[in-house]
Amino acid sequence: MRKRFKTYQQESTGFILSGDQASKLAILEAARCNEGFHFSGHAEYNFENPLDSYLMLSENSDDNLTLSTIFADMFMPQADLVTLSACCTGVVDAFQPTEAYLGLPTGFLLAGAKAVVSSLWKVNSIATAFLLDEFYRQLEETYNKAVALQNAQNWLRHCTADKLRERANTWDLSKLESKELFRLKQALKRLEGIPFENPYYWAAFILTGC
């Protein structure tokens, strides 16, 4: 799965680390001077050892960004928001024999981020793309993360297929690989009615922090 770690600063400026550029070292260095991060890719929560939960950066497990690495090495003094656009990034084990539930959001908050947007189950990639696109649009207007996420979820649950295709036409898809672009176009053609009305598509994402 293609992974992408986007860093951004005020005024929505910033840069994208993708493929081999999105190394653990590059991300840890960028974390020190950026106001926000957006990760898109694969993630896993480890119920046996939550500290081994990770954001996948490479096929080599040693290069992944684990929760233990976030605790030990990540420092985000300027981070206002971390968005984890992947499956199960907000999962915690409620039966852990500890006072605090350990999960990826915990690590980013302790590293200095003010808030983390994460997911509670395996999410649909197309629905997630629309949801987070609307979330950032709402955030520019409200400057309130919780309100922006709620508004985005309400928007997605009522949005028609035609409106979604209109929104997709505003996206810059120049950085997508040809296979990704083909899959996206095919998925957009298949949308009918109000395709993401079911809570499965929009209710997974939560905000932790403020």
Side-chain angles (χ1 to χ4, degrees), residues 32-72:
R32 294 177 175 272
C33 57
N34 283 275
E35 295 182 1
F37 284 83
H38 179 111
F39 173 80
S40 178
H42 179 71
E44 288 285 346
Y45 183 80
N46 190 316
F47 282 91
E48 293 185 1
N49 185 359
L51 291 176
D52 288 337
S53 303
Y54 63 88
L55 301 178
M56 186 176 183
L57 304 181
S58 169
E59 296 293 338
N60 182 352
S61 60
D62 292 337
D63 294 331
N64 290 330
L65 188 64
T66 63
L67 180 55
S68 61
T69 299
I70 296 171
F71 277 140

Side-chain angles (χ1 to χ4, degrees), residues 7 17 116 118 153:
T7 71
L17 299 171
V116 180
S118 58
Q153 290 170 323

Side-chain angles (χ1 to χ4, degrees), residues 69-83:
T69 299
I70 296 171
F71 277 140
D73 301 324
M74 183 160 276
F75 181 50
M76 313 178 77
Q78 301 181 44
D80 183 64
L81 175 65
V82 171
T83 304

Side-chain angles (χ1 to χ4, degrees), residues 69-187:
T69 299
I70 296 171
F71 277 140
D73 301 324
M74 183 160 276
F75 181 50
M76 313 178 77
Q78 301 181 44
D80 183 64
L81 175 65
V82 171
T83 304
L84 304 177
S85 177
C87 298
C88 305
T89 51
V91 171
V92 297
D93 184 358
F95 297 100
Q96 293 174 25
T98 59
E99 294 182 1
Y101 299 141
L102 296 179
L104 291 168
T106 310
F108 283 104
L109 291 173
L110 290 178
K114 293 181 180 178
V116 180
V117 172
S118 58
S119 62
L120 295 177
W121 55 76
K122 291 185 178 181
V123 295
N124 177 278
S125 59
I126 301 299
T128 298
F130 282 114
L131 176 67
L132 294 181
D133 178 66
E134 181 64 16
F135 168 66
Y136 288 123
R137 289 171 184 260
Q138 291 286 335
L139 193 57
E140 290 182 355
E141 296 181 2
T142 67
Y143 300 100
N144 184 307
K145 303 179 189 74
V147 172
L149 182 58
Q150 183 181 45
N151 288 348
Q153 290 170 323
N154 285 331
W155 172 83
L156 183 63
R157 67 187 293 195
H158 295 109
C159 203
T160 65
D162 289 339
K163 290 293 184 181
L164 291 170
R165 280 187 281 268
E166 288 178 12
R167 172 63 62 86
N169 287 334
T170 68
W171 293 348
D172 178 8
L173 305 177
S174 60
K175 295 183 182 297
L176 287 183
E177 295 178 355
S178 57
K179 290 183 179 179
E180 293 176 319
L181 184 59
F182 176 78
R183 290 171 182 167
L184 174 61
K185 289 183 177 180
Q186 292 301 307

